Amino acid sequence: VTAASRVVSASSDGTARIWNPETGDCLQTLGTVGWENRARYQHGALKVGRRVTSAAFSPDGKLVLSSSADCTAKIWSVQSGELIHTLVGHQHCLRSAVFSPDGRLAVTTSHDSTPKIWDVESGECRHTLQGHNSEVNSAVFSPDGGKVLTASADKTARIFCVRSGKCLQILKGHRWDVLSAIFSPDGALALTTSEDRTA
């Protein structure tokens, strides 16, 4: 995921890193005590508990949201390196975490089958989205931020209302796990991909 002239990556080796995409240099690393510059920590390994499953910049580039196999997500200040919030509530390792278009909310997905919507400022869970009965592989906000679209190993995708947390629609048709789902730019359509080799 990019923010201006930076790239943030997450890896199954337990690290995440911020890079300069033009030079390939690792610019910063993130650990339990915050950011360290490349001179101090040469290899740029970003340790966040166990395997880091995703990392994303906020829309304004001021925050980073990371998810981990340690069942938590973390919100970090890019400028200071301060750990702002640890989002605790999932019962199994996280699959993904993304910001809403306005950066005020975040949605996380997990092997525990319950996506969660979080308030970025307070770090509190707004809603636990009920309905899936298997791991949830991904979730995204609609372009207007009013809905969340989830993709699950239960062979369905679901659309939830961000304000109420209620399921608005269940998208069925795949024979195997739904791996990812996204909205069209105008939010009117949804596209899903699946292990059944169809979209």
Side-chain angles (χ1 to χ4, degrees), residues 23-102:
T23 65
D25 290 337
C26 180
L27 301 177
Q28 299 190 70
T29 63
L30 177 62
T32 56
V33 295
W35 298 96
E36 298 179 6
N37 60 36
R38 187 166 57 95
R40 184 175 176 187
Y41 197 56
Q42 189 171 6
H43 295 290
L46 163 55
K47 297 283 185 181
V48 185
R50 296 161 59 191
R51 175 170 53 98
V52 180
T53 54
S54 73
F57 287 108
S58 59
D60 62 8
K62 295 180 179 180
L63 302 174
V64 164
L65 174 64
S66 63
S67 64
S68 174
D70 69 1
C71 305
T72 71
K74 296 180 186 295
I75 299 173
W76 307 85
S77 166
V78 171
Q79 181 176 3
S80 68
E82 179 185 1
L83 175 60
I84 298 172
H85 295 297
T86 298
L87 309 182
V88 178
H90 283 290
Q91 302 302 310
H92 210 304
C93 60
L94 271 64
R95 301 279 295 184
S96 67
V98 296
F99 286 100
S100 61
D102 63 7

Side-chain angles (χ1 to χ4, degrees), residues 95 111 132-138 150-157 171 173-181 192-199:
R95 301 279 295 184
H111 283 269
H132 287 296
N133 58 31
S134 189
E135 65 190 64
V136 180
N137 294 313
S138 73
T150 58
S152 173
D154 66 8
K155 305 176 186 178
T156 71
L171 307 180
H174 286 293
R175 294 180 292 110
W176 292 355
D177 299 13
V178 182
L179 301 176
S180 65
T192 58
T193 65
S194 169
E195 284 189 351
D196 65 13
R197 300 183 181 181
T198 69

